[in-house]
Structures are given as structure tokens and as C-alpha cells.
Amino acid sequence: MPSSIAATKLNGSGKRLMSVEDLSGGLDLRKAPTLLKPNRCRVCRNWSLREPGALVVFPGWLTKSDVSAGSGRAQGAARVYLGAGAPFNLLAHDGSVYKPTDAWVRGSAVSSGWNASNQVFFPYDRDLVAVLDGATAAQKSVDGSTWTALGIAAPSSAPTAAALAGGTLVSGDVYEFSYSGRDDELLHEGNESATVQHTPSGGNLSVRLTLPKHTDAQVDTLVVYGRDVTAGEPVRRRIGTVANPAGASVTYDVTSNSWGSGTEAPSDHDVPPLLAFGVVWKNRWWARHATVTNRLHFTQVFENQSWPASFYIDIPFERGDNITALLPLGDTLLVFGQTRVFLVIGQTSLDFEVRPSGASQAGALGPRAVDALEDGAIHAAAEGIYLFDGASDRLLSYDIDGFAPTAIGWRTYVTTASASDLERTPLVYHQATKEVAIGVTNLYPFGTPGEWLLDLNRTRLQDVPAWTTTDRPIGGYIRWDGNETTTGNRGRLFSWSQTVGTVAEERTGTTADGSNMTADYHGPVFATGAYLAQFPDAYVEVEPNAGGLAVEFVVDGVSVGTQNITIGAGLSAYGTGTYGTSTFAGVGRQQIPIDLPLEAEGHTVQLRAAYTGQAAFRWFTYRIGMIPESGVSGL
């Protein structure tokens, strides 16, 4: 019998109690069941480890969407915090983008025409939010309702020039003109157009430019540029502006050469290429190219819509790897591949250095499989779940990376899920509960969707990663963690489904969307060694609550039956029961005896239990009675 199990002899009767005083140590799939510490377990689904010394039914969840946005998994969602105005939600589904209310009333689509199967991402800074899907030209918005192209393309044709009487231009000099489009709201300007040249002469020392209408609806103003080629001016400089016309074109008259101190015409305000996903770091936007999958594009500093064609880094991955995720972490941008991590290090916004991380052990499954965790980054990879501190990886999933002839634990998911499901793996660090949650489509040993959960509070207490699971089919997470204008909103966690376009609030209430919660537990296997033993009875210690607890004892791998036990529904918790006008003491902890059948005899015993109900049920301890034989019998 493991030395950590408390065995107590009762008054010389020969009966001993194998006592488990703490059930909240979490999962251990690595060791053989007979070697588990009493506080660890083989199955722990929908139990929370938040209270050391007790298993508590995991908090519930509640569907928030007014109606389903349709069948199939949502493509992406985000809570957006811009510098002005209240935060808002965005959700992409079936090729359309919606702006749900805070009560998740979906309403009509605010943008459509997006790829209906790709993941959709919503990077944002203080000024604007963008939509990226890897197949469609990116768009932006300043309010989540009105969407226009991210960046402004150069005008499609050059202006035309005609002689105009009067003016002070130099007769015989060659002048060159161009124009660009500007969005007055965000003060962003696109690249200049192709040029036209004109030579004034005689009394016509002015030039009338005809500027075609800029077809981008966001363009409010046309900006005119010019230079005196004959005088050797090297660049075109700003002359003036005119409103973008409602009709086909507008004219602009240049009467004198007064642009010597004007701003140089923009030539690197390129619109972005097709981008898959991106982040904001060091006053620039960074995004992965949609088809050149090891290429990282970035913008001009402080110019979130200017993507110069030469501003990119080709990450030198080995083994045909590509960029799977990006995560800003202080002065470092972590660039994850499938197998390793590269670092883009920037002391300022102007200089960057790209370094491989020699001590990284793995990369990330997809863009949503990474998150910042205190002073590091947690990332889910095919090899396991790691914490990266900027220099090296620490494996967190050792206890759930069980080994067997067939893959168990985390390996079940990464060896059976499709490439598409793996790429969509969501991971979130929920600061309010100090939990890391990872949504999977195949949760061991159930074969159904669920979450792997790492409880950081319990991990700190025992200095070993404390894992548990839920049965939630999570497609992605939406974290309300910014400057919320409504009291109580900060710290709320939402999710979208793996199968339908609904949104649910996580970690709220005690029910599964109004239905019963089901919490499963399979404890360690206690072995008596060479001695045969009879297991006549057991005891569970619980807090009285509504719901039911079913317990099953497995002896030598064979079930000896399941028993439904009353856990005190209707009994008052301590200090809440009343008789007349006085409060009297109720029951805060109750020990419930269980008789086992005569066939409960063997060399090993295991307790399996399942709570079903709608209460924050607590389970403190359990004890199994054992009467061993006096000597070793049999061969």
C-alpha cells in the first residue's frame, strides 16, 4: 500500500480505513493508477480545484445569444477597446461580420463578403479595428458599424494638364504633377498617382489640372503635388487640396511655384497585401502574409494603414515551418512556428533584431493557441503545453501527456483531430479565476469536446501543474479585460461554440445553461500488494446540497455496482435553518456511510463518482474500509 495513504486500525478488529483527506490535487495521467498520490486522480471533469481540500462543482455557463447565427462554428470574435467611445463586440460567422450588443443580440451584418470558412481576426489599436481573413482585402472601422478598406490605394489614373492664362510659373520650365486621396477622419493619405508634365509658355503661366474622382468611398480630399523638373527639384511637394468630387472629376489651378516647403508626396503608403492574422506592437501593426506563410509584414511607425512593400521579414524557419501565431511580450514579439519560437526584439520603435530561441521546445498549433501569462507566454503545441519565459520553455502538460500503447491525455487530441481543428485550437488565460483554458474537439477519455484547465492557484500551492477538465465545446474565447465603462463587466469571459453560432458566458452560475451539471471523478487505485482484502464499506464526506451523487467501486478492475446516495438535499447548511424565529445549527459537513457488496474483495480498489445537479456542491474526503487477510494465500 502506498505510504502516503493513511491506514488506521480500528480497536483490534483488523479493519483499516484508507483515507483520502484532499481530493483537489488534479489529474495525473502519467503514472500507473496504483502509484498516484491520494490527492490526484485519473478523471476530473467539471470539478474545480479552486478550494484546496475540497472538490467543488465547476461554475456553470449560460447562452447569451438571442438566436443562433446559424450552424457551424463562428469564424472569430473579439471585444474591441478603442481610444474613444464605449467598447463593443464583433463576431464573424458564415462570411459576415456582426456587431452584437453587450447582451449579445446579434442584429444584422455590418460587413459581408468575407471568406466563409477561414478564421477571422480583429486586431485593433486606439484608433481603429481591422478584419483579416487571409483571403479578402482587409477592412477597418472606427466604430464597428461602418467599414472601409484598410489603407487607401493610389488613384488609378494620372491627372491631365491644360494651359491656363495668367500666373507666375516660369515659361519654358517643365513641371510635373500628381495627386493622392486622403481620409479626413483618420488623416490617412494614400500613395500619389502617376504623373503628368506640363510646360507653360507665353501668357499662359498657369496650369489647370483635371483630377479624376477617387473611387474609394472613404476619400474626402484630393491632395495635389508638383515639382519644377527643369529647376532640378528632386521630389514632388504638396501644393494644395480640393474636395473629392461627387462627379467624375474636379479641376485644380496651379498659378505659382509656392510649394518649396510643402510635404513630400507619399510613396510608401501602400495598402496591405492579403493578411491572415496580426497584432499591434511597438507602435506598428504586424501581420502574417496569407500565402507566403513565413513572411511577417509590418507598417510604418505610427501609421497603422501604411504597409510599405519592402517592410517585411522572412522568418528563417527550418523543416518547412510557417508562422502560426504572434504574441507581443514587452520589448519582444514572439513569432511562433509549429516547432519553435523566433524573437523580434526592439528597444525602440525604429530598430529590430530577429533571433531564434535556441531553448524553445515547440511552437503553437494556431493563432489562438497562445496567450500572455504573467511574465511569460503559454502556448499549446503538438508536443505539449509550454510556458515560454523569453529564453526557454517549461513543460506544463507532463501530467496529462500520459503514455500507453494508444495515445492518452493531450496526445489523444493532437493525434486524432483534423489539421483544421488543431489550427483553430483556442487558449485563454482568465485573470479573474487564475485559470488557463484550452478548448479541444476530443477530450480524453470521453471522446467528446471539452476543455483542459490549468488552475494556477492550486499549482502554486503544490508546485506541480494542477489540471482538470470540463465538457464545454469551446470554439473560441472572448475576454472582457479592457477599459469597461459598465461596473462589473471587467473580467467576464465568453465563448463561441464549436458547432453553432452562439455565444455563452463562462464561469457564471451553477447550471449548464439551466440544466444539470455533471461532474465525474475517478480516483487513484489503492493496492494491497500480495494480501487479499475485503472492502466492506466506505464513507464520503460532503457539504449537504441539492443534486445526487452516484458512487461506483471498482475492485481488481471489475465494477461491484453503482449506488446513488443522498447528499443532504433539503438539509440546512450551518446557521441557515430556522425553527420559529430562531436560527439553529444545520449541517456543514456530513459523512455518509456506504455498504459494499460481498463480492468487493480483491487486491485493488478504486472509487469513481459522478455528481448531477445544479448546486455548488463540495466534496471533502472519502474513506474506504479494508480487512486484509492475515497472511499471503495462494500461488
Side-chain angles (χ1 to χ4, degrees), residues 370-437:
V370 299
D371 202 358
L373 176 58
E374 299 176 352
D375 57 350
I378 188 167
H379 54 112
E383 295 83 357
I385 301 160
Y386 293 85
L387 180 63
F388 184 72
D389 62 5
S392 61
D393 269 325
R394 174 193 173 195
L395 180 64
L396 300 177
S397 59
Y398 178 83
D399 289 340
I400 61 171
D401 278 340
F403 58 89
T406 57
I408 66 175
W410 176 252
R411 296 296 302 167
T412 299
Y413 173 57
V414 298
T415 57
T416 60
S418 67
S420 174
D421 282 343
L422 291 176
E423 186 181 1
R424 294 171 185 267
T425 300
L427 181 153
V428 70
Y429 170 49
H430 187 217
Q431 295 95 327
T433 57
K434 302 300 182 289
E435 292 170 341
V436 175

Side-chain angles (χ1 to χ4, degrees), residues 368-596:
R368 292 189 169 95
V370 299
D371 202 358
L373 176 58
E374 299 176 352
D375 57 350
I378 188 167
H379 54 112
E383 295 83 357
I385 301 160
Y386 293 85
L387 180 63
F388 184 72
D389 62 5
S392 61
D393 269 325
R394 174 193 173 195
L395 180 64
L396 300 177
S397 59
Y398 178 83
D399 289 340
I400 61 171
D401 278 340
F403 58 89
T406 57
I408 66 175
W410 176 252
R411 296 296 302 167
T412 299
Y413 173 57
V414 298
T415 57
T416 60
S418 67
S420 174
D421 282 343
L422 291 176
E423 186 181 1
R424 294 171 185 267
T425 300
L427 181 153
V428 70
Y429 170 49
H430 187 217
Q431 295 95 327
T433 57
K434 302 300 182 289
E435 292 170 341
V436 175
I438 307 167
V440 297
T441 57
N442 185 352
L443 179 69
Y444 177 83
F446 302 96
T448 56
E451 291 177 295
W452 290 100
L453 289 171
L454 176 63
D455 189 300
L456 298 182
N457 287 328
R458 178 68 200 203
T459 296
R460 289 189 181 95
L461 183 66
Q462 64 188 26
D463 201 28
V464 174
W467 289 93
T468 182
T469 63
T470 79
D471 60 1
R472 296 287 296 120
I474 302 294
Y477 297 97
I478 311 160
R479 189 172 51 196
W480 288 17
D481 61 349
N483 183 22
E484 293 288 343
T485 56
T486 302
T487 302
N489 273 353
R490 185 175 173 87
R492 296 172 72 183
L493 180 67
F494 297 85
S495 69
W496 67 85
S497 168
Q498 290 182 6
T499 55
V500 294
T502 57
V503 173
E505 183 165 7
E506 302 294 321
R507 319 303 193 257
T508 183
T510 58
T511 72
D513 203 27
S515 300
N516 286 338
M517 293 283 290
T518 300
D520 301 289
Y521 168 86
H522 293 183
V525 174
F526 301 138
T528 62
Y531 291 85
L532 186 69
Q534 183 182 8
F535 307 104
D537 52 18
Y539 307 86
V540 294
E541 189 173 356
V542 301
E543 179 187 75
N545 266 292
L549 183 66
V551 296
E552 177 187 15
F553 291 89
V554 178
V555 178
D556 287 352
V558 178
S559 172
V560 295
T562 300
Q563 300 184 44
N564 295 310
I565 61 176
T566 301
I567 56 175
L571 293 178
S572 298
Y574 182 82
T576 63
T578 58
Y579 183 80
T581 59
S582 300
T583 299
F584 65 94
V587 179
R589 293 171 71 113
Q590 181 180 23
Q591 182 166 278
I592 302 173
I594 305 167
D595 290 326
L596 274 64

Side-chain angles (χ1 to χ4, degrees), residues 315-318 332-335 340-345 353-360 388 390-392:
I315 304 298
F317 285 118
E318 302 171 356
T332 304
L333 176 64
L334 305 182
V335 184
R340 67 181 309 183
V341 183
F342 270 78
L343 313 178
V344 181
I345 302 173
E353 182 179 359
V354 181
R355 296 181 183 175
S357 174
S360 63
F388 184 72
S392 61

Side-chain angles (χ1 to χ4, degrees), residues 256-274:
S256 65
N257 184 349
S258 59
W259 55 75
S261 60
T263 304
E264 183 179 342
S267 60
D268 61 357
H269 290 193
D270 302 297
V271 298
L274 289 181

Side-chain angles (χ1 to χ4, degrees), residues 111-143:
S111 181
S112 57
W114 300 93
N115 184 282
S117 58
N118 287 0
Q119 293 191 77
V120 175
F121 298 89
F122 300 100
Y124 62 89
D125 58 16
R126 289 186 61 85
D127 298 321
L128 59 88
V129 58
V131 182
L132 308 179
D133 73 347
T136 313
Q139 292 189 2
K140 70 175 187 304
S141 176
V142 296
D143 58 10

